Amino acid sequence: MAVDRSDQNVLHYEHTQEESAPLREDARHRRYTSERSASLKVQEYEKGRGVRRQRPWAVCCRRVFLSWMGADWIFLMLLGVSLALISFLMDVFIFLFTDAHRFLYHLSESNVMLQYLTWISFPLLLMLFAAGLTQMLAPQASGSGIPETKIILRGVIMKEYLTLKTLVVKVISLICVLGSELPVGKEGPFVHFGALCAALLCKFMSFFSDVYKNEARNLELLTAGCAVGIGCCFAAPVGGVLFSIEVTSVFFAVRNYWRGLMSAVFGILIFRLLAVWNKEEETIMALFPTKFRLEYPFDLQELPAFAVMGIVCGFGGALFVYLNGQIALFVKKQKAMKNFLLTNCFIYSGLVSVFISTLTFPPGFGQFMAGQLTQRDSLISFFDNRTWSREGIVEDFHPDDHLSAWKHPQANVFIILSVFVFMKFWMSALSITLPIPAGSFVPVFVIGAAFGRLVGEGMATLFPDGFETEDAVHPIIPGAYAVVGAAALTAGITHTISTAVIMIELTGQIRYGLPILIAVILSNIISQNLQPSIYDSIIRLKKLPYLPELGWGHQEKYNLHVGDFMVRDVRYITLKSTYRDLLKILRTGKLKKLPLVKSEDSMVLLGYVERAQIRTLLQQHAQHLRELVDEERRHASEVSREVHFQRSSEESSGSSAPPKPALKRSPVTETDTDLHKKFSIKNLFCGDTQSVMIEDDSDTEDDVTLRELKEWEGLQLDEQVNFNNCKIDPAPFQLVERTSLHKAHTMFFLLSLDHAYVTSIGRLIGVVSLRELRKAVEGSLTDEGLKLRPVLASFQDCGTGANNFKTEKSDLHKLLDPNPSDQ
Amino acid sequence: MAVDRSDQNVLHYEHTQEESAPLREDARHRRYTSERSASLKVQEYEKGRGVRRQRPWAVCCRRVFLSWMGADWIFLMLLGVSLALISFLMDVFIFLFTDAHRFLYHLSESNVMLQYLTWISFPLLLMLFAAGLTQMLAPQASGSGIPETKIILRGVIMKEYLTLKTLVVKVISLICVLGSELPVGKEGPFVHFGALCAALLCKFMSFFSDVYKNEARNLELLTAGCAVGIGCCFAAPVGGVLFSIEVTSVFFAVRNYWRGLMSAVFGILIFRLLAVWNKEEETIMALFPTKFRLEYPFDLQELPAFAVMGIVCGFGGALFVYLNGQIALFVKKQKAMKNFLLTNCFIYSGLVSVFISTLTFPPGFGQFMAGQLTQRDSLISFFDNRTWSREGIVEDFHPDDHLSAWKHPQANVFIILSVFVFMKFWMSALSITLPIPAGSFVPVFVIGAAFGRLVGEGMATLFPDGFETEDAVHPIIPGAYAVVGAAALTAGITHTISTAVIMIELTGQIRYGLPILIAVILSNIISQNLQPSIYDSIIRLKKLPYLPELGWGHQEKYNLHVGDFMVRDVRYITLKSTYRDLLKILRTGKLKKLPLVKSEDSMVLLGYVERAQIRTLLQQHAQHLRELVDEERRHASEVSREVHFQRSSEESSGSSAPPKPALKRSPVTETDTDLHKKFSIKNLFCGDTQSVMIEDDSDTEDDVTLRELKEWEGLQLDEQVNFNNCKIDPAPFQLVERTSLHKAHTMFFLLSLDHAYVTSIGRLIGVVSLRELRKAVEGSLTDEGLKLRPVLASFQDCGTGANNFKTEKSDLHKLLDPNPSDQ
């Protein structure tokens, strides 16, 4: 098999940087070098040391060091430690801030007005600082980070999302935001931190080991990073890893689960050890340990109550996502507001902070919603072992205890809990739309726990002696309902099951495992039918390039085929294309990759060429032309130089005018600059070459030369393209017309594709990109904008077929952020 | 784009049955029908009813019924329920058997000899029945089932592994085996049951919904089935799902995790409810609930002990896998034994049963290893809250309590535990090699728990007052060590982390979560470096088609490329191939799919043709020839009939000989049969057509005709193949030379490929099959046999490069089972 020529063009079919070396020799060389990079490095090191005598132990140490640095476990440990440190330090600072807030508040107890000012100004300052910092230094640090991480893990490159600056800014501003007691969480940012730390560590480790130059591997390590982040945040290794898998991936490699878990365990060990060394804990314990009874955790008759709670939480979760989306859309809709926000978004954040602080002001409305409690304190109180609705219990709460927040002379526990749930619900939905680092997990968790406590207290009131069995009485434990409620509502919003595992690890008790799982699953079923998850909703709102998941209940999707939704009108280049064709294609289309077919008649797909490559081809051609012109000019100039010299010497002797204008108009330089300009990349691809030429003819001195050139150039553009030095990817991903949507979707997810060619016995007949696939999956969604489905929508339209291809033009997309998305 | 011709050949690039309809019109038609299959079915149903008046409510009910039957959740619930029932019924029967065994044993207490006979004969009978049943009815039911399931989930079709017969046989014989108290487990078979139930349910549901005709979806549901099986076995939903993912998949879809978990939760709910209704439990609880203290589970200073235990368990796990492999190889090695086993394998099982029963006979050696305890009882005793080594504790055990098994007048607890660990270790390794349904999880679990208890008792003796903190004394809990030990040893053998989660769910306590995870991870690290997992080891011993996983520490693998290990000498067919070429290729190669290139010069890859298709092409051609011959003969026979008729009438009138010989020799019939024979499939592909012809020339009467035909036929075989009616897959999976091993490996796993073509700008330059990939990944493994690495091997060869391609010819593979594998 003669493969000499084609070998030069071998290019990896995926576009990872390290694999695009065009020359085989070079490739071979690189392969062998990197194979034993460690030992070679040692040799080089030894050589570098030159005459100095070699120390075997030093060499040996270095060898061990280098091989260790390439080992996964070193990376995973470092990752775990760094995230544990971030998590621990953050907790310390947040505690400091909230403590200082309480201290100032109590200091000014003499005067209510002063107290109010203290109450609102402290968070306001923190908030303004956080928002200002984010806006000015790293706008990428705002928001949860889970949506962006999800996109990055799909292989999309998002600029500035994985830099040290973003990490530092996000850590500092998240501390401030959480210190200001806004009802937002830190789990989303921690997924982002995980990815950030992993990316930065990869960069750092690549100094020591070549293994870290493999992009595919680094992407895998990023996945592990996400898992560790959330694990360290909740001290929940298994739950954290599963949660990060569920929210960021559709397909997952078991080895990444492995890596994530290992790193998470190590990180959490450090995280909890730090807590012990800091004297916060006696020994390693769960973050919110519960002490419910072990013998008879729950009666079978309580199961329906747990199930109903799960269903209600499902509706609640969908409502939360809907509300959050509506708020985000409303804010973007207001044109006046938008202009204001773009410049002063941190003032908006401040206003929201003041508004929320005012409502939670403990002597004010806050007394009806336990306003003085931080999220942590409220969670601890919800998981309390006592039954508050029982007579005399609430009255016994000590004023110094944070449980006393639920004690009110007029209102009973039910009212306070209801107000708490209602107020926190919209406050959280509002807060997470702010342009600050903010997660939605923890606030929703708190709301769910409050709702669960409410249900639990209700059950305890209805059945004061619990459900009697033959031999014993087992009263109802409202704290357990809080646990179930928290898990179920969070599941409803995030569309994950692993919240159940996180809950179990967070409370350190698994006896309620089954009720939690049942509630979580029911909540998921309801909310998945009504709304996308909060992260997908944000992805759509931000118009990030995404591919919706094929739910596990949509069997009608299995009957669509690629032939039904592919684009048949494909732009392509052929082996016989001219430079003019290339120019035309570059100007009219926006495709990042162009299929190369053998000829217009055969349409046999040979591979694809990247847009950048085509640009390079044209540049090379331009360069070639320029050289030819230069050559000709040089020849011509040798003839004309004397004439010119004579002329300019005449002028300089005749007047005091500087020689520059004359020089400028000299045919040599003029044409030279002009040609360079003409063939500059900008003109070639952004403007019209011909019009540029005509415009440039203001100086008509060498009109004739230019016109000649233009003609000659036209001929040159009609030359056939020489693809010899062009990198062609010879194995683009191909589908056939009969590939089902389900399979195509799987492929796109598995291989992180953004397009695939549809062929029929080697003949190109169409193309499917992410966009077509998305349209096919979603049907009712427009290709540009977002149509938030009203809650209950899926129950209304359950009779209609799901695969209608009318792309309803929603007006909403016009109102959305006009920033160019990466699609 | 003119795609008329090619459209006829469009074939799905994967070979799922439902997607291979060759004609576009047909495809379209089918698509539209299946799109609204439910409603159409209803309409047909209505039409079928003919004149009878329509009942709207009946139609509505039917519509709802059909759409429900297609819904995932119905399937998942049915799956959960069926597995819960299997698990529950099995437990009931096993309990009955073991109880009966004990009852008979105690009944014959008067005479030791009689007691011994009772003790060994009961398991022997059960064992013989189980082994006989398995061997006679469904040999596929033997063993764990996890290795086979893993292979099936990779897309390999294994006959008879997913049939109702196998299910029934495996359930019955597993009950007998476990009833016989052989130290084997049920978790592996339960993974198999899960897959079986899912496959059978898919078949059943396909009567109601067309969705179940999609093979890809059914494979996904199979994955869910595996998850449910193991979950129902241990009442551990999360752990079960994760375990099944870890042991069966390399990549998994999050939606399958979802499905698995949902089904598992439902199944476990039913499973545990059945236990409550059966009055075994008061309420839903864990299977082996522990009641360790909640306040101060463990001291930080105990962590190193847990870690060391994890490391030791890692070595132990590797040793177990090695031992098991050696036993299996030894049994296969003995030729005499092999012949005996092939015919009487159930006698072998019986012998092993007698041997083991003899050793565990309580009044005999069994008294030193708690022989009378079942696996369940020993587990419960290991998780006991008391410290046995403390003075007076063991003496207090009541004789009726199963804890009394650990009480011995002469030997102390340490000795009994050590003997237990040692004996059970090799007994289990031996038992799971028997040709009966047997899992390795539970026995190893028990051994690990015993080892942990041993360490725990040791720690409690060393530090009788535990580790004192400032204010309180927290004694060491040996039961917790048992929990950690069980998880760690099982992890070492199965190479999974999810054993930690299973452990937590099994004991219903998570306070020891971090120590368990640490021990499990360390155990995994050690054992993964030394041996394959028990399942991979069995896969290799059974020579199933497998692809080794790319460990997460082998960075040198990232520097290999497809060009380094692909096969460059590819067999292919071209558009200009003749029928003779096809015949030759079929006779000489064994490739299941043949690449089709444009021509020998261009080598442009157009797609691939399946072997069966080529066979069909040749058959069609033969049929065509036969028809031509028939035509000619018919014409000729019309001429010769009169002659023949005259001749035969002469013979019949001249003698009493029957007309048959004459008829046989008549040129018409002779040539006809002969031709048919010649062009029969068998001759075309198995024998040499020409030699068949020559041999057939014994009757030389129509020699001339035959020779003529042969020549004519030779010309016909040199005709160019007409590919018009041939199904060509136009989009085979393609790689390029520079694709890294890591990426190729991922692709093969993700897409369940068994081969991929290597191309360079459309030109076929090589092929990579599972075999090449396996060789590249493993390096040191031969392509046919298994080389069990001695324990500690990886520590010995850590200095040598891993990517040497010397395929060391191991002698072992010659001794292995010579059955043709599916490779």
Side-chain angles (χ1 to χ4, degrees), chain A residues 2 31 72 283 552 564 763, chain B residues 2 31 72 298 552 564 763:
Chain A
R31 192 182 320 148
D72 262 21
T283 183
W552 49 282
D564 298 330
R763 295 157 57 92
Chain B
R31 191 181 322 147
D72 262 20
F298 58 94
W552 49 281
D564 297 331
R763 296 156 59 92

Side-chain angles (χ1 to χ4, degrees), chain B residues 286-517:
Chain B
L287 270 190
F288 295 97
T290 55
K291 283 165 191 165
F292 306 139
R293 61 164 182 260
L294 292 181
E295 297 76 28
Y296 194 92
F298 58 94
D299 195 275
L300 291 191
Q301 297 175 66
E302 290 179 72
L303 279 180
F306 292 125
V308 170
M309 224 159 76
I311 292 172
V312 174
C313 284
F315 282 106
L319 187 66
F320 186 89
V321 175
Y322 180 70
L323 192 63
N324 174 51
Q326 286 297 329
I327 294 172
L329 283 178
F330 177 79
V331 172
K332 283 187 176 168
K333 230 174 183 172
Q334 310 294 327
K335 272 193 183 171
M337 208 159 164
K338 200 171 160 186
N339 292 334
F340 170 75
L341 285 182
L342 279 178
T343 45
N344 304 297
C345 78
F346 71 105
I347 294 182
Y348 171 57
S349 306
L351 285 177
V352 170
S353 165
V354 169
F355 183 49
I356 288 178
S357 307
T358 307
L359 283 173
T360 59
F361 181 51
F365 189 72
Q367 62 183 299
F368 297 102
M369 54 174 289
Q372 71 263 47
L373 289 187
T374 61
Q375 288 189 354
R376 195 188 146 75
D377 292 341
S378 17
L379 260 189
I380 291 174
S381 65
F382 292 138
F383 296 159
D384 185 50
N385 231 342
R386 282 165 289 184
T387 308
W388 301 348
S389 59
R390 196 163 289 174
E391 231 167 285
I393 296 282
V394 174
E395 286 71 22
D396 277 358
F397 288 157
H398 193 270
D400 286 346
D401 190 4
H402 48 242
L403 278 173
S404 63
W406 304 103
K407 186 161 78 176
H408 195 275
Q410 278 88 44
N412 70 9
V413 165
F414 290 102
I415 294 173
I416 302 185
L417 279 172
S418 306
V419 173
F420 181 91
V421 170
F422 176 75
M423 297 299 282
K424 289 279 177 182
F425 195 84
W426 66 260
M427 281 179 182
S428 302
L430 170 64
S431 303
I432 56 172
T433 64
L434 297 181
I436 46 163
S440 50
F441 191 98
V442 176
V444 171
F445 203 75
V446 173
I447 298 166
F451 171 72
R453 176 50 88 159
L454 186 65
V455 174
E457 296 292 345
M459 287 288 287
T461 313
L462 280 176
F463 308 98
D465 296 324
F467 298 95
E468 282 161 67
T469 51
E470 284 153 22
D471 39 3
V473 169
H474 303 287
I476 282 165
I477 303 172
Y481 285 78
V483 170
V484 175
L489 191 63
T490 326
I493 283 158
T494 57
H495 292 192
T496 55
I497 294 198
S498 42
T499 44
V501 184
I502 291 183
M503 197 68 231
I504 289 167
E505 292 185 291
L506 208 58
T507 56
Q509 266 203 314
I510 200 178
R511 295 279 152 135
Y512 287 89
L514 208 57
I516 293 175
L517 275 170

Side-chain angles (χ1 to χ4, degrees), chain A residues 568-586:
Chain A
R568 286 176 193 274
D569 178 27
V570 195
R571 298 194 155 273
Y572 55 84
I573 48 179
T574 73
L575 279 183
K576 287 165 193 154
S577 288
T578 59
Y579 287 100
R580 192 179 298 284
D581 294 338
L582 293 194
L583 253 182
K584 203 175 150 193
I585 279 180
L586 280 186

Side-chain angles (χ1 to χ4, degrees), chain A residues 446-458:
Chain A
V446 173
I447 298 166
F451 171 71
R453 176 52 87 158
L454 187 64
V455 175
E457 297 291 346

Side-chain angles (χ1 to χ4, degrees), chain B residues 22-253:
Chain B
L23 286 166
R24 197 181 180 179
E25 286 309 304
D26 177 41
R28 277 227 178 116
H29 173 71
R30 287 200 313 123
R31 191 181 322 147
Y32 289 120
T33 26
S34 55
E35 251 169 31
R36 299 181 187 273
S37 64
S39 59
L40 272 177
K41 270 192 178 173
V42 174
Q43 284 169 25
E44 278 162 25
Y45 174 80
E46 290 168 35
K47 275 178 200 161
R49 294 220 134 200
V51 214
R52 289 168 67 180
R53 70 200 153 97
Q54 296 185 0
R55 287 179 209 144
W57 60 267
V59 174
C60 187
C61 279
R62 199 176 157 80
R63 182 176 290 140
V64 167
F65 174 75
L66 284 176
S67 76
W68 273 31
M69 285 317 250
D72 262 20
W73 65 273
I74 290 279
F75 178 89
L76 295 175
M77 287 208 164
L78 287 176
L79 186 66
V81 172
S82 44
L83 280 163
L85 282 175
I86 292 178
S87 186
F88 177 74
L89 287 177
M90 238 164 113
D91 281 356
V92 168
F93 278 106
I94 293 167
F95 184 74
L96 268 181
F97 279 132
T98 52
D99 227 33
H101 190 200
R102 295 281 172 297
F103 177 74
L104 291 173
Y105 168 76
H106 287 297
L107 212 65
S108 51
E109 239 167 8
S110 50
N111 184 326
V112 175
M113 207 51 220
L114 187 70
Q115 210 177 10
Y116 173 68
L117 282 178
T118 324
W119 183 258
I120 64 157
S121 60
F122 188 85
L124 178 64
L125 285 175
L126 285 174
M127 197 67 178
L128 289 178
F129 176 72
L133 192 71
T134 312
Q135 200 195 355
M136 276 186 276
L137 289 181
Q140 296 81 11
S142 70
S144 141
I146 290 184
E148 288 83 5
T149 314
K150 190 172 181 172
I151 300 297
I152 291 171
L153 290 181
R154 249 196 58 73
V156 178
I157 292 157
M158 311 256 307
K159 273 181 195 166
E160 291 286 321
Y161 268 90
L162 298 179
T163 59
L164 186 61
K165 194 178 77 180
T166 309
L167 176 64
V168 174
V169 169
K170 192 154 190 168
V171 167
I172 294 174
S173 41
L174 187 59
I175 289 174
C176 295
V177 169
L178 292 176
S180 81
E181 291 177 48
L182 199 75
V184 296
K186 58 175 184 170
E187 93 309 322
F190 257 92
V191 170
H192 194 181
F193 292 161
L196 270 164
C197 283
L200 294 173
L201 260 178
C202 278
K203 251 186 215 166
F204 173 72
M205 299 291 269
S206 64
F207 290 118
F208 302 103
S209 173
D210 284 350
V211 184
Y212 290 93
K213 283 168 186 154
N214 185 314
E215 298 273 333
R217 184 168 178 274
N218 288 357
L219 204 65
E220 285 190 359
L221 293 178
L222 225 61
T223 318
C226 295
V228 188
I230 195 102
C232 279
C233 177
F234 291 125
V238 181
V241 171
L242 291 181
F243 184 80
S244 82
I245 288 173
E246 280 194 78
V247 295
T248 59
S249 316
V250 171
F251 288 89
F252 68 93

